[in-house]
Amino acid sequence: MDFNFSEEQKMMRTMARDFADREVRPLAAVLDAEARYPYETVEKLAQLGFMGIFVPPEHGGSGLDQVSYALVIEELSRACAATGVIVSAHNSLVCYPVLRFGTDEQKRKYLAPMARGEAIGSFALTEPEAGSDAANQRTVAVADGDHFVLNGSKIFITNATVAKTFIIFGLTDPPAGVRGITAFLIERDTPGFVVGKKEDTMGIRGSGACRLDFDDVRLPRESVLGEVNKGFRVAMATLDAGRIGIAAQAVGIGQAALDESVKYAKERVAFGKPISNLEAIQWMIADTATEVAAARCLTYRAAAKKDEGDNITLEAAQAKLYASEMAHRATHRAVQIHGGYGYTKDFPVERLYRDARVTEIYEGTSEIQRLVVASQMLK
Ligand code: COS
């Protein structure tokens, strides 16, 4: 692994940081308070090429690597974690599997509008009874001539409030269980497909997470992504890559917690001097700074390995596990350093604390990451 970034990677990081400072951070508290999707930001993100980061130029994207992607997600999340996950889910959970598993026709149809930000992508695997146990799908897709008829529901689906392109998983061979699941590409205006209630979540409130319902939705066979009954592999391979994005998001949140902690510790006076003089505060800042750096290394390592074309099941799970738990600790300390003020909405650490929490849950809980890591160690 090369620790030196290329000129292109450095340029992406600078672009993302400048944009995040100028356009993303000022909106973060408003999106959170109003649970509002940042429509206006997404258009600008597309102009910068951030909505098609690894989509090749022939399909209208930026054609960049996973390390650049991680840098962009980290910088956006440092300013607003909801904006970070919007970009992450779109790129890694939708653009990426279309690129990897899609037919030429599917790539032609879906990638360019997604890279231009005209069609936001949404990935729908989770159901009321299928979270960690992702194979326990209840959505069924029954073959009917050259179509499948889809019935069921999905919950907690990021981007769904605005998305036009969805990847949905359904059972095409229920007795086969995990080997009877198929992935489908489906468009928002398909009859019988309803984007339902917006989820009222603790954090990441601007990400447009919704429930989805399918009532006799007819999908042509051409909408199958990958192969019939091989959808679980599509889901797992996609989540391996997606976990780099969540790790990067958690690093961004951790860095924001560190930034806020340092700033406040230098300003706040107690016992006659800035609290940065107190060893109790210094140790918290030292621990956060060290853990952010460690999480960053794990995240870039997973991204660099992915760029080399290697399997990253282990590295992505380790990065996601450590970075998300780091973000939890970092934001907990940041609130503690701010004392009573940290418990109010007058300071950003209150939002960071809530936003960090879901990084330990979505795209696989910490328990699932430990299970994945252990299974890789013990195989
Ligand atoms: N990449 C590609 N294929 C994979 C894979 C991976 N990382 N992990 C598993 N698979 C394949 C296996 O090879 C197997 O395929 P075959 O039957 O063709 O050999 C199939 O998937 C089933 O594998 P396994 O038996 O290990 O699956 P389990 O049902 O035991 O599930 C866990 C494994 C728990 C790891 C999986 O269900 C999981 O990741 N759950 C969390 C889901 C999640 O992240 N949810 C959040 C939703 S998105 S916000």
Side-chain angles (χ1 to χ4, degrees), residues 126 131-132 134 179 232-233 236-237 239-240 243 313 363-364 368:
T126 301
S132 291
R179 294 189 184 89
F232 197 71
R233 283 179 168 215
M236 291 298 111
L239 285 168
D240 278 350
R243 286 168 187 162
T313 300
E363 298 197 31
I368 289 295

Side-chain angles (χ1 to χ4, degrees), residues 6 16 85 103 112 153 160 174 177 212 231 259 300 352 370:
S6 68
V85 79
T103 61
S153 302
L212 309 178
D259 297 342
Y300 296 169
L352 296 175
R370 287 190 168 86

Side-chain angles (χ1 to χ4, degrees), residues 36-54:
R36 177 166 80 70
Y37 193 87
Y39 301 91
E40 63 276 48
T41 315
V42 170
E43 273 178 43
K44 294 174 191 165
L45 287 163
Q47 285 160 13
L48 291 172
F50 293 167
M51 300 309 276
I53 295 178
F54 20 72

Side-chain angles (χ1 to χ4, degrees), residues 37-196:
Y37 193 87
Y39 301 91
E40 63 276 48
T41 315
V42 170
E43 273 178 43
K44 294 174 191 165
L45 287 163
Q47 285 160 13
L48 291 172
F50 293 167
M51 300 309 276
I53 295 178
F54 20 72
V55 174
E58 68 261 33
H59 290 297
S62 304
L64 294 169
D65 56 12
Q66 292 280 339
V67 171
S68 304
Y69 163 71
L71 293 170
V72 168
I73 301 302
E74 179 185 328
E75 292 300 333
L76 296 177
S77 303
R78 184 176 175 181
C80 171
T83 305
V85 79
I86 286 168
V87 177
S88 172
H90 172 87
N91 278 284
S92 65
L93 299 186
V94 189
C95 295
Y96 171 77
V98 172
L99 261 173
R100 176 155 169 196
F101 298 102
T103 61
D104 289 345
E105 180 50 33
Q106 287 170 337
K107 289 179 195 167
R108 266 194 301 278
K109 181 172 174 186
Y110 291 107
L111 289 175
M114 286 201 286
R116 287 196 297 266
E118 292 160 12
I120 302 302
S122 205
F123 173 91
L125 175 68
T126 301
E127 299 188 357
E129 292 175 72
S132 291
D133 186 6
N136 190 37
Q137 298 278 306
R138 292 286 183 266
T139 295
V140 287
V142 178
D144 179 20
D146 55 3
H147 281 72
F148 286 91
V149 181
L150 198 66
N151 281 286
S153 302
K154 302 283 174 183
I155 53 168
F156 310 148
I157 307 303
T158 297
N159 279 338
T161 192
V162 294
K164 283 196 182 147
T165 304
F166 292 78
I167 295 178
I168 307 286
F169 295 84
L171 277 172
T172 33
D173 184 5
V178 74
R179 294 189 184 89
I181 294 169
T182 301
F184 297 92
L185 275 158
I186 141 165
E187 286 161 68
R188 187 184 191 90
D189 53 7
T190 308
F193 175 28
V194 178
V195 177

Side-chain angles (χ1 to χ4, degrees), residues 6 26 56 136 143 161 262 291 305 324 350 359 376:
S6 68
N136 190 37
T161 192
V262 168
E291 292 175 20
K305 197 166 179 212
S324 59
E350 182 269 345
T359 64
Q376 293 288 314

